[in-house]
Amino acid sequence: MSELSVQLYSVRDAFAADPDGTLRRLAAIGFTRVEPYGVVENAEALRTGLPAHGLTAPTAHARLIGADQAAVFATAAELGIGLVIDPLVKPEQWQDTDGIAATADALNAAAKVAAEHGVQVGYHNHWWELESRIDGRSAFEVFAGQLDPAVALEVDTYWATAGGEDAPALLRRLGDRVKAIHVKDGGLATDATGQVPAGQGSVPVAEVLAAAPDALRVVEFDAYSGPAGDLFEAIAASHAFLVNR
């Protein structure tokens, strides 16, 4: 079994209202790792809440391009976060080689700043980086080929599949550049409706896991409106599905 984590963005409303209680509920499910968002904005809640509930945060999401990177990386280092992942670059930046190169250059530069704090930089995809094609290749793979080896990838396997990509094959091609994967499932709607616990939807989750056996597995829901209506129950179902795989 690879390591399991959970993206705090999944429970963003609960976390905003009661960060300590939310971390307690995730720990009670069995998670020992979380993936925060908004590293600087949520620093105080994480500083106290993570150790209180036996949690660590090996990865986190934070906007890097155009942000105060030194502040982000200094806070990440203080919290023990080793990999800070830029979660989104807008679709228009992935339509041609100039836009892709600009994003790669920006993250390569960020990696140098991160190294001064003992932290690594990564990027997380949505569907549009896979849907956009440059000379027969996805914009995401063109981008990956321009990254400094110090820049890691977190492949969101739901969004990759929604973008028309064979996610397990993508993971095999990218190899050990992929340090983490988002594990989520559903009907592949790009508006995030219809997401379900892992193993209950259209993403080939078992094949995804086999294709990236050493990557950190991060459970995520962008939205949830399942039969029970309880997001924490859905997260627990994903955890139960993944724990022995």
Side-chain angles (χ1 to χ4, degrees):
M1 183 189 75
S2 183
E3 297 178 353
L4 293 182
S5 183
V6 58
Q7 167 58 256
L8 291 183
Y9 183 79
S10 306
V11 291
R12 55 197 175 276
D13 294 336
F15 185 75
D18 181 7
D20 187 73
T22 300
L23 294 174
R24 181 184 299 110
R25 291 186 73 177
L26 293 173
I29 289 170
F31 288 102
T32 58
R33 302 170 184 85
V34 296
E35 183 173 82
Y37 61 94
V39 171
V40 174
E41 297 85 344
N42 294 311
E44 185 55 38
L46 296 169
R47 187 178 293 117
T48 57
L50 293 178
H53 300 293
L55 297 167
T56 61
T59 62
H61 280 197
R63 185 172 65 88
L64 297 176
I65 298 175
D68 182 350
Q69 294 175 2
V72 172
F73 298 136
T75 304
E78 177 198 350
L79 295 170
I81 297 166
L83 175 59
V84 180
I85 300 160
D86 195 306
L88 182 152
V89 171
K90 292 181 179 180
E92 53 265 30
Q93 288 295 114
W94 300 93
Q95 303 310 308
D96 56 47
T97 55
D98 288 346
I100 294 167
T103 300
D105 288 347
L107 290 180
N108 289 340
K112 293 181 171 59
V113 180
E116 297 173 3
H117 298 271
V119 176
Q120 189 176 10
V121 163
Y123 182 73
H124 161 276
N125 63 284
H126 284 72
W127 70 90
W128 51 77
E129 300 95 334
L130 287 306
E131 191 175 67
S132 175
R133 313 299 291 188
I134 307 294
D135 295 328
R137 300 174 68 210
S138 73
F140 188 62
E141 288 189 82
V142 173
F143 163 73
Q146 298 179 19
L147 292 175
D148 187 290
V151 180
L153 296 172
E154 178 176 62
V155 174
D156 188 307
T157 57
Y158 175 95
W159 289 136
T161 307
E165 193 66 56
D166 179 330
L170 173 69
L171 291 168
R172 288 191 291 269
R173 290 195 300 272
L174 293 173
D176 61 8
R177 298 295 300 275
V178 180
K179 301 303 183 187
I181 57 174
H182 272 186
V183 181
K184 59 190 178 192
D185 211 343
L188 305 179
T190 56
D191 65 359
T193 57
Q195 292 187 1
V196 297
Q200 298 181 21
S202 300
V203 177
V205 177
E207 291 85 352
V208 159
L209 301 178
D214 298 323
L216 176 69
R217 300 169 177 184
V218 184
V219 172
E220 187 188 33
F221 287 80
D222 297 290
Y224 183 69
S225 57
D230 188 327
L231 176 57
F232 285 90
E233 288 184 8
I235 290 170
S238 285
H239 182 276
F241 178 84
L242 292 170
V243 72
N244 292 316
R245 288 173 170 81

